[in-house]
Amino acid sequence: MKKKPLVIRFPKAKIQAEIADRSWHNGGDIEIALYAMSLRRAARALIKSLDLEPNPKTAWDACPIVLLYRQAIELHLKTVIDESSNFLKTPTDSITLYKTHSLRWLAQIVGQIIKTVGWESEFKCEGVASLTEFSALVAELESLDPVTCAVTVGKCRRDGSVPHNLEPPNVVRFATKLDALLDLLDATADALAATWDQRAGISAVDKFQTGDKIKPTIH
């Protein structure tokens, strides 16, 4: 007898084919979850290998870490949105969600979701005490694209030195906040999925008992 494949809780597996067809990941949620985990592990491995002492030969070595976290955060933001699209009056279009790479836009949608379910006081972690700080942290991450920093007039340095925010010690400190944010987004995706399942279940019972076409609502 064949063993069942391992099911990853993040993001929540979509069993129904019609749901998977409408999702931004087209049913590849487990693969994306594993990839997001790998991005984070790779970032942590690079951090351990960094030379934190001033060294012009290794000054840019922390930059790939930023890009690894950036993509991991993007995937987690998309997962939160995917798990909670039913909470919003106008669900995010799956094609738009798949194609966009704007962290600021994704964070804006997540902020709307958190407000809709009334979780502002619970949506906190190191470096994020409010939705405003959440948006600011995500915006900071997006602004740290190494190539953009290198070619932007006024920011680039003719001596080859790395911008202050991308220096290895500063990237390491920033990564601590990003790790906390990843954990927060992971937990939020699970909580949203569980909340919707619970409310959908209650709605189904009400519909069966009353015959009314009741849809889950947020109060």
Side-chain angles (χ1 to χ4, degrees):
M1 183 175 179
K2 283 178 119 184
K3 290 185 179 180
K4 291 184 178 180
L6 175 66
V7 176
I8 308 297
R9 178 59 182 144
F10 160 69
K12 185 187 173 190
K14 300 293 191 296
I15 299 174
Q16 300 170 345
E18 62 272 17
I19 295 177
D21 290 341
R22 293 198 304 267
S23 65
W24 71 275
H25 49 62
N26 197 31
D29 47 359
I30 295 177
E31 292 83 355
I32 290 172
L34 292 172
Y35 177 52
M37 293 176 190
S38 296
L39 288 168
R40 189 176 183 181
R41 281 197 298 270
R44 298 307 304 174
L46 281 176
I47 286 174
K48 290 179 180 179
S49 70
L50 283 179
D51 178 7
L52 299 182
E53 296 299 323
N55 186 343
K57 292 183 179 180
T58 60
W60 289 84
D61 284 5
C63 294
I65 295 169
V66 175
L67 297 180
L68 289 167
Y69 273 112
R70 190 203 183 287
Q71 188 165 18
I73 294 290
E74 178 186 324
L75 294 176
H76 277 70
L77 290 171
K78 288 181 176 180
T79 297
V80 170
I81 295 170
D82 187 50
E83 290 292 3
S84 54
S85 60
N86 288 319
F87 287 112
L88 299 176
K89 291 183 179 180
T90 305
T92 305
D93 177 69
S94 60
I95 296 177
T96 302
L97 188 59
Y98 171 76
K99 289 184 175 181
T100 187
H101 299 293
S102 171
L103 297 187
R104 288 179 175 87
W105 183 80
L106 293 170
Q108 182 180 2
I109 302 299
V110 170
Q112 292 175 7
I113 292 165
I114 298 302
K115 288 179 180 178
T116 299
V117 297
W119 289 357
E120 292 98 323
S121 60
E122 289 82 17
F123 192 74
K124 297 178 181 179
C125 66
E126 181 180 352
V128 174
S130 65
L131 286 177
T132 299
E133 291 188 3
F134 161 65
S135 297
L137 181 60
V138 172
E140 183 179 0
L141 173 59
E142 190 157 50
S143 70
L144 288 181
D145 175 68
V147 174
T148 301
C149 290
V151 303
T152 301
V153 176
K155 290 185 178 180
C156 56
R157 305 182 181 190
R158 302 303 180 186
D159 60 355
S161 60
V162 67
H164 177 71
N165 289 344
L166 290 174
E167 292 175 357
N170 295 326
V171 170
V172 171
R173 283 190 287 270
F174 191 51
T176 301
K177 295 182 181 180
L178 298 179
D179 277 325
L181 179 58
L182 285 170
D183 290 338
L184 176 62
L185 293 174
D186 195 357
T188 300
D190 275 350
L192 286 166
T195 300
W196 180 257
D197 286 348
Q198 183 182 30
R199 296 188 183 189
I202 293 173
S203 177
V205 170
D206 290 342
K207 180 179 178 180
F208 176 77
Q209 291 177 342
T210 65
D212 294 331
K213 294 182 179 180
I214 302 174
K215 294 182 180 181
T217 55
I218 304 299
H219 298 286

